[in-house]
């Protein structure tokens, strides 16, 4: 049989449904790949091979009876360890929950994947409660980038990105609260979609008073696989009162087959807060020419974020508000066993606990200005084209934040704004930098227009091609 390591999710499901590959064969291959490659990467933190094989055998029997298990039939999936998956502990990426009991139920997102025929085989690593742009904790250690093990796959969905980029699985779950899907996707050479706020329901458990900036997502190898995941995961659920109804346009995957009408694309380079490295600006210019060559109308604009003149104050205030909400969600556990949490994470929580009413009000006033700023942009444009991150992957131990602020290379500088406004955004690979690491660009669409966003991303992907780590490193 042809090597399936880098087959897409849509290809694998097609082979399973067509009878050329059984769920058990695919599961065995996946488990073998994880055993061979992941010790050097540290992306997988929980695995149950016996259960995975048993569920694969049961699915094989269903297929033999002529049943259709769903659009993800037989596909092994790894779940980010901030989401509940029945039978696996939810450690939330911290030593404090390393011995958590197995979850009794799937979260809504995971349940939808399982109902679509996916085989939930394990969990992927994440920083404590998703609170970093590199993936490391005292429970499972550092997750490394399959392009270069000295570099990070980013965070907080770094485990998911490393696993997909290394060919362990074709699909994982992820989440994006400031760039936590788009950033790891960018650093690992994958597409990474942050859908509209509420597109994929969260729940039934979530952090209290979370300020509506985090979206559940998938981590996939191609834009088509990203659309396939969204077809399965999207739609209202009562566990999340903010979740959106299913889109009236129907399947996102089917929408990719329709021509994309001429788009007015605004090309934004810095937002007044970032200084992207030359390789990132080169990727941006190259993708702009791809879109222009396809007949779209592009215009460069020096759009500047509200508050850019006071940056990084709005960034620090945003992070303090998020830390406050994490502190609220962990206040009992922190009081009971403070020493079990990572020391830097404790300091972050304690800083958040000091949030004042004036700071909270200033943050929400800033969010309102961002809403107005983006509304005015989308009066002029149908899509925005920007960098995803200012640099290629940083050290596995994490970036130097103070240096990044000083040099304009803060990882979330051009991603977090669209979490705060709720717009759908996607990172798309755009070639390699001179250091051999992936470059990327970010596309942003108006509220609820994932169909338009995915179509534009597919155009870029087809022009730029997919990326694969070199054979000289694990995963290549």
């Amino acid at each position: 049989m042809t090597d399936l390591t880098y087959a897409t999710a849509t290809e694998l499901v097609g082979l399973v449904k067509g009878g050329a590959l059984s769920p058990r064969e695919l599961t065995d291959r996946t488990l073998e790949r994880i055993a061979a490659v992941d010790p050097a990467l540290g992306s997988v933190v929980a695995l149950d091979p016996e259960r995975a094989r048993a569920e694969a055998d049961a699915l094989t029997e269903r297929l033999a009876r002529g049943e259709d298990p769903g659009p993800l039939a037989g596909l092994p999936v790894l779940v980010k360890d901030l989401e509940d998956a029945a039978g696996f502990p939810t450690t939330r990426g911290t030593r404090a929950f390393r011995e958590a009991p197995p979850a009794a139920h799937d979260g809504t997102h995971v349940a939808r994947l399982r109902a679509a025929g996916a085989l939930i085989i394990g969990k992927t690593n994440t920083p404590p409660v998703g609170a970093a742009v590199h993936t490391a904790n005292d429970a499972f250690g550092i997750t490394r980038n399959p392009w270069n093990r000295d570099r990070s796959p980013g965070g907080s969905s770094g485990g998911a990105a490393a696993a997909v980029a290394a060919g362990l699985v074709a699909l994982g779950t992820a989440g994006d609260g400031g760039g936590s899907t788009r950033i790891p996707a960018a650093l690992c050479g994958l597409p990474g979609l942050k859908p509209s706020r509420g597109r994929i329901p969260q729940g039934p458990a979530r952090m209290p008073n979370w300020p509506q900036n985090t979206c559940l997502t998938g981590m996939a190898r191609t834009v088509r696989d990203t659309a396939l995941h969204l077809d399965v995961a999207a739609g209202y659920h009562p566990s999340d009162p903010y979740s959106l109804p299913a889109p009236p346009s129907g399947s996102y995957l089917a929408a990719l087959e329709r021509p994309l009408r001429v788009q007015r694309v605004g090309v934004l380079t810095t937002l007044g807060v970032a200084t992207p490295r030359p390789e990132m600006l080169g990727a941006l210019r190259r993708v702009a020419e791809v879109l222009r060559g396809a007949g779209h109308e592009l215009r460069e604009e020096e759009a500047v974020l509200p508050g850019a003149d006071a940056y990084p104050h709005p960034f620090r205030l945003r992070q303090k508000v998020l830390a406050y909400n994490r502190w609220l969600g962990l206040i009992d556990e922190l009081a009971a066993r403070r020493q079990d949490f990572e020391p830097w994470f404790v300091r972050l929580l304690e800083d958040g606990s000091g949030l004042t009413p004036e700071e909270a009000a200033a943050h929400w006033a800033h969010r309102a200005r961002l809403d107005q700023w983006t509304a005015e942009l989308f009066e002029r444009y149908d899509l925005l084209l920007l960098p995803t991150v200012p640099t290629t992957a940083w050290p596995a131990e994490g970036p130097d934040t103070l240096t990044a602020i000083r040099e304009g290379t803060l990882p979330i500088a051009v991603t977090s704004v669209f979490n705060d406004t709720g717009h759908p955004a996607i990172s798309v690979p755009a070639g390699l930098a001179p250091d051999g690491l992936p470059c990327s660009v970010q596309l942003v669409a108006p509220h609820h227009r994932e169909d338009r966003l995915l179509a534009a991303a597919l155009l870029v992907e087809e022009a730029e091609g997919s990326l694969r780590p070199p054979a000289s490193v694990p995963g290549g």
Side-chain angles (χ1 to χ4, degrees):
M1 186 178 292
T2 303
D3 179 28
L4 301 175
T5 300
Y6 286 97
T8 68
T10 49
E11 290 168 342
L12 292 172
V13 170
L15 290 171
V16 168
K17 287 190 171 186
L21 180 68
S22 75
R24 176 59 184 265
E25 289 172 316
L26 179 54
T27 298
D28 284 341
R29 282 173 170 269
T30 301
L31 294 172
E32 290 166 5
R33 177 74 175 172
I34 291 172
V37 173
D38 197 57
L41 300 178
S43 68
V44 180
V45 299
L47 202 62
D48 189 340
E50 183 176 341
R51 177 180 170 183
R53 292 187 175 103
E55 292 184 357
D57 288 341
L59 196 63
T60 300
E61 292 176 4
R62 290 180 61 191
L63 288 163
R65 293 195 298 267
E67 297 181 32
D68 181 359
L72 301 181
L75 188 70
V77 169
L78 291 167
V79 173
K80 182 179 178 179
D81 204 14
L82 296 183
E83 292 189 78
D84 286 345
F88 295 97
T90 306
T91 73
R92 292 192 268 179
T94 173
R95 180 178 59 194
F97 300 125
R98 181 70 175 83
E99 304 304 324
H105 305 284
D106 291 329
T108 301
H109 180 203
V110 176
R112 286 184 172 177
L113 302 185
R114 199 189 296 273
L119 300 173
I120 307 301
I121 65 169
K123 306 292 285 288
T124 55
N125 205 18
T126 184
V129 197
V133 291
H134 70 291
T135 296
N137 55 56
D138 291 347
F140 304 109
I142 295 174
T143 299
R144 299 181 180 275
N145 193 316
W147 286 83
N148 182 332
R149 281 184 288 163
D150 292 330
R151 303 295 184 97
S152 176
S156 62
S157 305
V164 174
L168 308 188
V169 291
L171 181 66
T173 76
D176 194 313
S180 287
T181 295
R182 287 162 291 159
I183 291 171
L187 302 193
C188 292
L190 302 169
L193 171 70
K194 182 202 78 67
S196 298
R197 182 187 297 148
R199 179 64 70 202
I200 297 174
Q202 304 190 58
R206 61 186 301 178
M207 301 291 284
N209 301 318
W210 198 243
Q212 287 299 294
N213 70 322
T214 298
C215 298
L216 296 178
T217 74
M219 187 69 74
R221 195 164 289 141
T222 67
V223 172
R224 282 192 169 86
D225 284 359
T226 301
L228 172 66
H229 167 266
L230 195 59
D231 277 349
V232 169
Y236 175 79
H237 192 278
S239 67
D240 182 354
Y242 298 101
S243 57
L244 299 172
S249 57
S251 166
Y252 292 106
L253 191 57
L256 292 179
E257 305 307 317
R258 297 193 289 268
L260 180 65
R261 68 172 179 82
V262 173
Q263 301 292 297
R264 300 167 301 158
V265 183
V267 182
L268 317 179
T269 54
T270 72
L271 302 187
V273 297
T275 307
R277 296 283 166 78
E279 57 268 27
M280 295 305 184
L281 294 177
L284 192 71
R285 287 191 292 270
R286 191 169 59 252
V287 169
E289 287 308 308
V290 167
L291 295 173
R292 186 176 284 112
H296 301 292
E297 300 170 359
L298 276 76
R299 176 182 151 198
E300 291 192 20
E301 178 174 332
E302 287 301 321
V304 174
L305 282 175
D309 55 343
Y311 207 76
H313 175 69
F315 158 74
R316 289 184 170 131
L317 188 56
R318 179 186 193 275
Q319 299 308 96
K320 188 170 185 177
V321 170
L322 299 186
Y324 172 76
N325 282 275
R326 288 187 173 97
W327 173 74
L328 280 182
L330 296 170
I331 191 167
D332 292 338
E333 292 89 343
L334 191 63
R337 50 181 197 277
R338 181 183 186 278
Q339 71 282 358
D340 293 336
F341 289 91
E342 288 74 1
W344 70 265
F345 185 58
V346 172
R347 291 193 294 272
L348 181 147
L349 295 177
E350 291 180 339
D351 179 62
S353 71
L355 183 75
T356 67
E358 292 79 11
E359 288 173 324
H363 170 71
W364 285 106
H366 178 68
R367 291 268 293 254
R369 288 192 291 272
L370 291 179
D371 287 338
Q372 185 60 42
W373 179 79
T374 47
E376 291 171 0
L377 276 175
F378 283 113
E379 289 178 359
R380 300 192 292 277
Y381 302 115
D382 304 306
L383 289 169
L384 305 178
L385 173 65
L386 314 89
T388 308
V389 284
T391 71
T392 55
W394 36 87
E397 295 76 16
D400 181 336
T401 301
L402 293 179
T403 298
I405 290 173
R406 185 174 64 252
E407 296 182 351
T409 57
L410 198 66
I412 70 169
V414 285
T415 53
S416 62
V417 55
F418 302 110
N419 293 88
D420 293 343
T421 65
H423 289 85
I426 189 169
S427 179
V428 191
L432 299 178
D435 61 6
L437 295 172
C439 295
S440 67
V441 298
Q442 181 180 201
L443 290 162
V444 186
H447 289 299
H448 311 154
R449 292 309 305 265
E450 286 88 348
D451 56 337
R452 181 187 300 174
L453 186 68
L454 289 164
L458 180 62
L459 192 159
V460 174
E461 182 181 78
E462 290 177 340
E464 290 290 308
S466 298
L467 299 179
R468 183 182 302 183
S472 59
V473 297

